[in-house]
């Protein structure tokens, strides 16, 4: 057998599975986005790019796009930064490390929908855990309407970041465990400070873990639907709507399947535009370092 074709034989099952469960639904969604289909009663009429033209004239969609941009910016910085710090702390052996790990890893057992329910109770005005805590500390002047028009979007982001931080922490812990300790010990023997060890050895060798964590953060920020649905339903006044939630509303509440599919296509393009170049750039950087 020709060795040049051997790898393709191993890849064929994956290609077939992806084509059936991935590529075909994407193509179907793209076709539906070019129609005026309403509900599931039957196929709609072909309308070309009409849905896309209306989409970028829709103030509700543009508002959700703006909110999604805020999500992406916050999700790239907050969960990943906290995760690196937590991973560095819990990797060390000290009294209470197992308790800290349990507290920070607990959100991994919860879906974003459950996280939304928990944090909606935490943010409950007056009787919620956060308000009660601030009152108990004498900091009631800091109390705001957490899910109101001014703080709502950032409050939902904070709740989602709590769970995303747990996921990213596991990824970074795995990355830290893969770093040869001989390199770190040799650097310390040569007189390197903790800061130099982190920025010149630890951080560069965390690139594979960072690629996974950042890609996941981007995808979660773009698709944040469940937590918005359970916490605010996009309110008040659309202040917490994101493109994923807008797609859900147009498709399953307004029954505008063609219009909702158009939003789905836009979300897919946005995800691919952000994630694929980043992953390729990181892969090339790692290839140069290992060659």
């Amino acid at each position: 057998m020709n060795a040049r074709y051997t790898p393709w034989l191993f890849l064929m099952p994956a290609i077939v599975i992806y084509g059936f469960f991935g590529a075909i639904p994407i193509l179907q969604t793209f076709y539906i986005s070019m129609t005026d289909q309403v509900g599931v009663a039957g196929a709609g009429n072909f309308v070309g790019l009409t849905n896309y033209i209306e989409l970028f004239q829709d103030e509700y969609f543009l508002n959700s796009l703006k909110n999604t941009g805020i999500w992406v910016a916050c999700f790239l910085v907050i969960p990943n930064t906290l995760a690196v710090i937590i991973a560095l702390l819990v990797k060390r052996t000290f009294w209470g490390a197992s308790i800290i790990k349990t507290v920070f890893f607990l959100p991994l057992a919860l879906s974003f929908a459950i996280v939304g329910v928990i944090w909606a109770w935490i943010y409950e005005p007056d009787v919620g855990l956060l308000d009660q805590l601030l009152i108990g500390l004498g900091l009631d002047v800091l109390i705001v309407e957490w899910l109101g028009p001014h703080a709502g979007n950032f409050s939902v982001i904070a709740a989602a970041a709590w769970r995303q931080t747990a996921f990213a922490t596991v990824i970074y812990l795995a990355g830290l465990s893969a770093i040869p300790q001989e390199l770190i010990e040799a650097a310390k023997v040569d007189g390197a400070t903790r800061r130099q060890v982190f920025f010149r050895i630890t951080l560069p060798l965390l690139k594979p873990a960072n690629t996974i964590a950042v890609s996941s953060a981007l995808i979660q920020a773009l698709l944040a639907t469940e937590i918005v649905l359970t916490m605010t339903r996009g309110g008040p006044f659309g202040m917490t709507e994101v493109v994923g939630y807008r797609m859900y509303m147009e498709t399953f509440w307004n029954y505008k399947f063609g219009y909702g599919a158009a939003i789905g296509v836009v979300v897919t393009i946005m995800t691919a535009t952000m994630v694929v170049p980043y992953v390729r750039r990181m892969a090339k950087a790692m290839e140069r370092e290992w060659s």
Side-chain angles (χ1 to χ4, degrees):
M1 183 181 293
N2 194 330
R4 185 176 62 181
Y5 298 107
T6 303
W8 288 101
L9 294 178
F10 292 102
L11 290 174
M12 280 304 295
I15 293 172
V16 171
I17 292 172
Y18 173 77
F20 187 77
F21 292 103
I24 292 176
I26 289 174
L27 293 174
Q28 288 178 328
T29 301
F30 180 72
Y31 173 75
I32 293 173
S33 74
M34 308 281 279
T35 70
D36 61 357
Q37 181 174 336
V38 177
V40 294
N45 300 314
F46 185 80
V47 295
L49 298 175
T50 301
N51 287 327
Y52 294 94
I53 294 171
E54 291 181 3
L55 199 60
F56 288 96
Q57 296 174 344
D58 184 350
E59 62 179 310
Y60 294 107
F61 175 74
L62 294 177
N63 173 66
S64 69
L65 201 59
K66 180 197 72 175
N67 290 335
T68 300
I70 297 172
W71 271 77
V72 169
C74 292
F75 250 50
L76 286 178
V77 177
I78 298 172
N80 293 322
T81 302
L82 290 175
V84 171
I85 296 171
I86 295 168
L88 289 170
L89 289 175
V90 300
K91 190 175 183 296
R92 301 178 180 181
T93 303
F94 58 92
W95 185 88
S98 58
I99 299 175
I100 294 175
K101 288 180 182 180
T102 302
V103 170
F104 282 109
F105 296 163
L106 178 63
L108 277 178
L110 308 174
S111 68
F112 276 101
I114 299 301
V115 170
V117 172
I118 293 171
W119 279 83
W121 170 73
I122 291 174
Y123 289 137
E124 189 73 24
D126 300 325
V127 297
L129 179 63
L130 185 55
D131 280 7
Q132 289 296 312
L133 179 62
L134 291 174
I135 291 170
L137 294 173
L139 299 174
D140 48 304
V141 293
L142 299 178
I143 294 176
V144 297
E145 193 176 353
W146 301 109
L147 296 179
H150 300 295
N153 201 30
F154 293 101
S155 296
V156 178
I157 290 173
W162 178 61
R163 192 207 183 265
Q164 185 64 24
T165 299
F167 172 80
T169 300
V170 172
I171 299 301
Y172 284 119
L173 267 176
L176 288 172
S177 300
I179 296 176
Q181 290 302 307
E182 295 82 3
L183 290 176
I184 297 176
E185 294 300 328
K188 290 180 178 178
V189 170
D190 290 338
T193 63
R194 287 187 178 181
R195 182 176 180 179
Q196 289 172 327
V197 169
F198 176 74
F199 284 104
R200 297 186 180 182
I201 297 177
T202 304
L203 201 56
L205 292 178
L206 279 177
K207 281 183 180 178
N210 191 59
T211 301
I212 297 172
V214 169
S215 300
S216 171
L218 282 170
I219 293 169
Q220 294 296 344
L222 290 168
L223 297 178
T225 303
E226 300 137 301
I227 195 163
V228 172
L229 183 63
T230 53
M231 288 187 73
T232 63
R233 294 186 179 273
F237 314 115
M239 293 296 181
T240 59
E241 277 196 8
V242 291
V243 288
Y245 179 79
R246 190 73 241 157
M247 175 178 63
Y248 168 81
M249 291 298 294
E250 293 292 355
T251 305
F252 298 108
W253 281 81
N254 298 334
Y255 297 104
K256 296 165 66 176
F257 275 40
Y259 195 70
I263 299 177
V265 171
V266 171
V267 172
T268 302
I269 294 172
M270 288 170 60
T271 305
T273 302
M274 288 190 232
V275 174
V276 173
Y278 173 76
V279 172
R280 290 184 63 183
R281 187 165 59 252
M282 293 296 288
K284 288 181 179 178
M286 287 186 285
E287 187 178 351
R288 285 196 301 269
E289 291 176 3
W290 294 343
S291 60

